[in-house]
Amino acid sequence: MIKSYNQLFENNKKWVEATNMQDPQFFNKLSNGQSPKFLWIGCSDSRVPANEITGTMPGDIFVHRNIANMVIHTDMSMLSVLDYSVNVLGVQHIIVCGHYGCGGVAAAMGRKQVGLIDNWLRNIKDVYRLHQNELNSIEDVDKRTDRLVELNVIEQVMDLAKTSIVQNAWSANKPLQLHGLVYALKTGILQDLNVTIDSTNDMEDVYRMEVPIIA
Ligand code: CO
């Protein structure tokens, strides 16, 4: 147990050495600040690390992860990350990345109580209900789960677009695109679901907020 923990520091030392060999200024540059172009909202699953699967480096992606990559409007942690990344860091792309084989999505399809997490997963059940005709028509359980993974990503992208943070950025003509991606654990392939949005044009009226009048 201690050994696997100590291994982290040994790995870190090796990583620092290797990184300094490649670019002696790397840590010096990064310590001066960050200007990532991407915000990543992904699943906490240990098998879906944002930097590794996109071949990016520290400094490239601002990251928020939770179980099943959810955008929940009362989640202060998510909202703070979103506000900071859009209004302070000025990210241009927000990526919601789901993954096939997501345990959270699979659990949400069942009826077994797991614990506190049931309340979090209920948001995915709402996605299921919205798309139940399509989902119920898929007989194979794995295929149905995969489709719910995709639909859940798409709904979270739309939930981002419903926030005042994103809508105000668009009103101010900031370049900001929202994307939905899905990652396949079995192949390592990252796929664009082609649901990119950069305006409220296709959104139901009830979600489109007026720009506040600043006194
Ligand atoms: Co997951």
Side-chain angles (χ1 to χ4, degrees):
M1 199 180 94
I2 297 277
K3 196 164 171 264
S4 59
Y5 176 66
N6 285 339
Q7 189 68 47
L8 299 179
F9 300 97
E10 282 168 35
N11 292 347
N12 171 257
K13 221 182 271 174
K14 284 182 201 147
W15 175 71
V16 169
E17 280 166 18
T19 307
N20 276 328
M21 283 255 273
Q22 239 182 3
D23 179 1
Q25 289 305 310
F26 184 78
F27 293 108
N28 192 26
K29 277 186 282 185
L30 273 188
S31 67
N32 287 324
Q34 60 171 336
S35 52
K37 292 206 164 41
F38 306 94
L39 165 61
W40 175 281
I41 298 176
C43 184
S44 297
D45 193 305
S46 61
R47 299 164 295 179
V48 197
N51 281 124
E52 279 90 339
I53 66 176
T54 56
T56 49
M57 297 292 283
D60 290 337
I61 308 185
F62 204 65
V63 173
H64 178 81
R65 289 167 71 178
N66 61 38
I67 289 169
N69 40 271
M70 301 301 287
V71 174
I72 294 173
H73 288 147
T74 51
D75 178 357
M76 278 305 289
S77 176
M78 182 279 297
L79 289 172
S80 303
V81 167
L82 179 63
D83 183 55
Y84 186 76
S85 61
V86 169
N87 291 317
V88 179
L89 296 174
V91 299
Q92 294 175 357
H93 303 273
I94 304 178
I95 290 163
V96 176
C97 182
H99 67 103
Y100 298 125
C102 183
V105 171
M109 282 176 60
R111 296 171 58 197
K112 226 171 91 189
Q113 280 199 35
V114 185
L116 176 71
I117 194 178
D118 298 328
N119 300 285
W120 184 259
L121 299 180
R122 211 220 62 227
N123 295 285
I124 309 174
K125 289 180 184 286
D126 293 342
V127 175
Y128 194 105
R129 180 174 50 82
L130 270 175
H131 299 278
Q132 57 184 327
N133 289 343
E134 178 186 347
L135 289 164
N136 287 340
S137 73
I138 304 170
E139 278 183 34
D140 184 271
V141 179
D142 290 339
K143 285 196 179 117
R144 200 191 309 152
T145 311
D146 284 353
R147 184 57 184 149
L148 182 55
V149 163
E150 294 172 357
L151 290 169
N152 187 49
V153 167
I154 294 166
E155 290 296 335
Q156 306 318 303
V157 169
M158 297 205 289
D159 283 341
L160 277 174
K162 292 168 192 165
T163 63
S164 56
I165 298 164
V166 167
Q167 290 195 17
N168 288 344
W170 285 337
S171 299
N173 291 317
K174 287 186 189 163
L176 180 65
Q177 290 190 324
L178 314 180
H179 311 276
L181 273 56
V182 68
Y183 176 77
L185 293 173
K186 286 181 182 166
T187 61
I189 299 291
L190 190 60
Q191 185 194 325
D192 194 332
L193 288 171
N194 295 316
V195 291
T196 296
I197 36 178
D198 57 8
S199 77
T200 57
N201 288 350
D202 296 324
M203 187 177 279
E204 293 96 328
D205 273 343
V206 74
Y207 293 118
R208 295 168 70 170
M209 285 177 278
E210 289 176 359
V211 184
I213 298 153
I214 295 151

